[in-house]
Amino acid sequence: MEKRSRLTSKWFYDFSTKYGVDAPDEATPEQTDEYDAGMDAIYARIREEYIAEMSQQNS
């Protein structure tokens, strides 16, 4: 949970800085798509790491 929070916060900061917005809903549709794709990638990474950890524990 802590790692997810840290990664999403960093992505939000990087995105906001890159586009000069305070929130994703202030961005253009294309920028919002980029934001959503970045969040999806973070969640996919966390899921993959969790699955790998569970596999190792069950081995």
Side-chain angles (χ1 to χ4, degrees):
M1 179 79 160
E2 181 181 322
K3 183 175 186 175
R4 180 184 69 190
S5 180
R6 190 171 18 92
L7 290 171
T8 57
S9 291
K10 181 176 182 335
W11 173 240
F12 176 78
Y13 174 79
D14 291 347
F15 177 84
S16 296
T17 301
K18 180 177 179 181
Y19 293 113
V21 296
D22 292 326
D25 61 352
E26 296 177 0
T28 67
E30 294 80 14
Q31 293 166 342
T32 301
D33 289 345
E34 180 183 338
Y35 177 80
D36 291 341
M39 292 299 284
D40 290 345
I42 290 168
Y43 285 113
R45 176 178 165 189
I46 297 296
R47 276 193 302 275
E48 289 172 5
E49 290 175 3
Y50 176 78
I51 290 168
E53 285 178 23
M54 291 296 109
S55 285
Q56 288 177 348
Q57 289 179 4
N58 293 329
S59 294

